[in-house]
Amino acid sequence: MPAPSGPDLPTFEWLGDAALTVRTPRARELYASLRAHPLPGVQEAVPALDLLTLLLAAPTAGEAVQEAVAARLATLIPAPGGSGRRVVVPVTFGGPDLDWCAAHAGLDRAAFVAALCAAQLEVAFLGFTPGFAFLTGLPEPLRMPRLDAPRERVPAGSVALGGPWAGVYPRETPGGWRLVGRTAMNFFDLSRAAPVPWQPGDRVQFEARA
Amino acid sequence: MTAPLPRASRPVGGGPLATGATVLRAGVQTTVQDAGRRVRALGVPAGGAADPVARRLANALVGNAPDAAGLEVTLGGPTVLFHEAALVSLCGAPFDATLDGAPLPLWRAAQVQAGQTLTVGGTARGLRAFLAVRGGLHGHEVFGSRATDLRAGFGGVQGRALRPGDHLTWAPLPAQAARRAFIAPDLRTPTGPHHELRVLGTGDLTPDLRDSLLARPFTVSPQADRMGARLTESVAAPRDPARPSVPNVPGLLQLPPDGRPILLLPDAGTHGGYPTPLVVITADLPRLGQLRPGDTLTLREVTREDANAAHLAQERALRQAEWMLRQ
């Protein structure tokens, strides 16, 4: 194998004796590739922003997995278009923090809602609670500081902004993001064949409903 | 990792009340557990028995696959009335257990007759044990696992701990006589009250954290559940509010702002934003399932080679025991 080089070179970091974190700007493409064609020795791949944590079948599989991942990355074509799937989330705007967020963005309520619905969001990764997606792509003025003290209970379906992220709480949990609306869409429904309706790389858009 | 995600949800098996068993007393927190699920990428915790060595040996003793579902008992166990004969085994912390009042030894298979009552009492040491039933317990199957996720409310029996009146059933398997096999005491997960956990450092391990985490005993606080075991003593924790969320792995030591470390157990959230300077080695993960409030522990840093050798030795011994029980 020729020595790989370039700015897109992955870095590997052990996390204990049975997991490896791969940092690469192509983490999303790597995740999609590993889902389609699993690597021997990798039990599970868990994405986050620009990284993928690989849980190994055995602690001793590490070196072989590093080589295989580097080789796989070299074959990947960047997919700037994401997964090609689009998810429209109908939102009734009006949460407890909507006016605060609009003021923070220097907009009136209607303009703030319009700006949020115009944002081209994307699922970066899922985590925190079943079905919760971290959505990237908020324009700078729409990024909101998290609450100093998290709310003990955020209702299911709450549409929220926190730091660089947007998200929807699939069920009632504690939460520190600012609540700007509600959706009736269910993001974790075990009665469906696919309980979680989105995947990393999906394009997401909020659509205002009365 | 599996390419297509397993079918999400299957109904709970059941049958007429003359089969299976009825829960008379539920115990402190008794849940259906197996080897857990692998869909962290959907935000779903792994779950599964907190002492996987106990799970594997209990299942091997009754001729089950290592990942078959059984009952995880915690601190105080359940009382179960059997309506049909069953082969059972109880492995883990040294719980007092009886079958119609007669002592039921741990670490061996026992034949239960229809109409008999199995009672699992308390344990003086350790926290959990795994009760296997030949055939494997039925339960709500979610993403290929029957493990109960108490927080999300799915898996096992209606996504919750057992309650009196619950009806348990299991898959029929040809009857098998109780096999006797010696399970070496050093294969059993240690149950304290003092624990030594071998750890590896991560990129978050600073010299200050190494000094404050590795050089002293800690106490397990009352906040110890299937998500994590919080320690009582605090250390100076680095603050980084802008830190991004990254995936958690089993055995991670998390350091929240108050400086009281949390050792992550199988139901921990899939991602976390706190510094995680240490990870318990794979061979010592079962010990996390036996950490009982009030127990003491020390963290000892080892090399990756030590960790691999410990894992290989443990796996070899476990497979040997499983193989002998299959003969």
Side-chain angles (χ1 to χ4, degrees):
Chain A
M1 196 173 63
S5 61
D8 286 355
L9 210 66
T11 62
F12 293 92
E13 189 191 333
W14 280 98
L15 198 54
D17 60 3
L20 273 171
T21 295
V22 189
R23 286 176 199 275
T24 163
R26 293 193 197 161
R28 197 188 62 201
E29 289 90 340
L30 179 62
Y31 173 66
S33 167
L34 292 179
R35 263 178 62 85
H37 307 285
L39 278 181
V42 177
Q43 256 182 0
E44 205 173 339
V46 193
L49 190 65
D50 292 335
L51 65 83
L52 207 53
T53 295
L54 308 176
L55 285 89
L56 307 181
T60 42
E63 271 64 35
V65 166
Q66 287 189 41
E67 276 183 30
V69 166
R72 178 72 66 89
L73 270 169
T75 69
L76 291 181
I77 299 152
S83 65
R85 299 201 313 165
R86 190 162 168 270
V87 180
V88 175
V89 181
V91 179
T92 304
F93 285 93
D97 303 322
L98 178 61
D99 289 329
W100 188 94
C101 290
H104 190 264
L107 299 170
D108 66 28
R109 198 182 234 239
F112 179 79
V113 167
L116 205 50
C117 290
Q120 298 293 321
L121 305 173
E122 187 181 313
V123 176
F125 62 96
L126 288 89
F128 168 58
T129 190
F132 187 92
F134 288 79
L135 305 174
T136 54
L138 279 180
E140 189 62 46
L142 302 185
R143 299 182 182 187
M144 295 295 146
R146 295 177 178 89
L147 298 174
D148 290 334
R151 289 187 172 91
E152 270 182 41
R153 283 197 283 190
V154 173
S158 293
V159 175
L161 306 173
W165 307 106
V168 181
Y169 288 85
R171 59 193 174 92
E172 186 183 283
T173 53
W177 293 10
R178 295 186 191 262
L179 312 182
V180 297
R182 294 283 287 273
T183 181
M185 216 169 147
N186 189 343
F187 291 94
F188 191 75
D189 181 356
L190 289 172
S191 69
R192 292 189 304 234
V196 178
W198 46 20
Q199 286 284 341
D202 288 357
R203 290 291 161 92
V204 178
Q205 196 155 15
F206 293 136
E207 199 173 79
R209 292 286 162 89
Chain B
M1 139 176 195
T2 49
L5 292 172
R7 189 176 153 68
S9 188
R10 262 196 243 160
V12 181
L17 270 172
T19 64
T22 299
V23 177
L24 302 181
R25 260 186 340 115
V28 174
Q29 186 186 77
T30 307
T31 57
V32 172
Q33 296 295 339
D34 58 14
R37 37 186 79 83
R38 291 175 188 162
V39 280
R40 287 178 171 88
L42 297 180
V44 179
D51 180 349
V53 166
R55 164 180 56 78
R56 282 174 65 172
L57 291 172
N59 274 325
L61 280 162
V62 297
N64 285 348
D67 58 355
L71 291 181
E72 180 176 271
V73 309
T74 314
L75 202 57
T79 301
V80 179
L81 169 63
F82 282 76
H83 304 295
E84 60 177 308
L87 188 67
V88 304
S89 71
L90 183 65
C91 294
F95 281 83
D96 298 316
T98 58
L99 190 58
D100 273 357
L104 178 89
L106 273 72
W107 305 103
R108 62 173 68 170
Q111 185 65 50
V112 179
Q113 303 302 334
Q116 285 193 306
T117 300
L118 172 66
T119 300
V120 181
T123 177
R125 284 181 292 114
L127 190 60
R128 294 182 176 92
F130 192 88
L131 177 70
V133 180
R134 178 164 168 79
L137 287 184
H138 289 133
H140 181 214
E141 194 168 307
V142 177
F143 296 119
S145 163
R146 297 171 187 175
T148 309
D149 185 319
L150 291 170
R151 210 161 53 122
F154 59 71
V157 177
Q158 296 171 33
R160 56 165 174 77
L162 293 192
R163 290 180 192 157
D166 282 342
H167 186 224
L168 304 173
T169 58
W170 49 90
L173 273 188
Q176 174 184 295
R179 293 212 171 120
R180 301 291 288 271
F182 176 71
I183 292 181
D186 63 359
L187 190 53
R188 306 171 185 178
T189 307
T191 51
H194 180 76
H195 307 258
E196 185 186 75
L197 300 174
R198 290 168 288 183
V199 293
L200 292 166
T202 73
D204 289 339
L205 184 61
T206 61
D208 281 354
L209 283 177
R210 182 177 266 118
D211 287 347
S212 57
L213 288 167
L214 297 175
R216 60 182 292 181
F218 283 96
T219 313
V220 179
S221 85
Q223 292 165 276
D225 59 19
R226 286 191 38 87
M227 293 174 61
R230 192 127 215 226
L231 306 182
T232 301
E233 296 79 7
S234 63
V235 303
R239 290 296 298 269
D240 180 8
R243 194 185 157 89
S245 280
V246 293
N248 287 330
V249 295
L252 212 52
L253 181 138
Q254 216 177 42
L255 213 49
D258 71 1
R260 292 170 55 211
I262 303 169
L263 287 158
L264 299 187
L265 265 76
D267 286 0
T270 58
H271 292 65
Y274 297 137
T276 52
L278 299 173
V279 191
V280 174
I281 69 170
T282 300
D284 286 354
L285 290 179
R287 300 179 187 212
L288 297 179
Q290 298 297 352
L291 295 180
R292 175 184 177 124
D295 284 359
T296 56
L297 64 86
T298 47
L299 304 163
R300 183 163 69 85
E301 194 176 18
V302 295
T303 64
R304 186 168 319 289
E305 290 69 36
D306 296 335
N308 288 348
H311 170 74
L312 287 174
Q314 185 186 56
E315 198 56 29
R316 196 177 303 123
L318 270 171
R319 287 194 183 170
Q320 194 173 13
E322 288 171 333
W323 181 83
M324 280 167 52
L325 286 165
R326 271 200 305 271
Q327 300 313 301

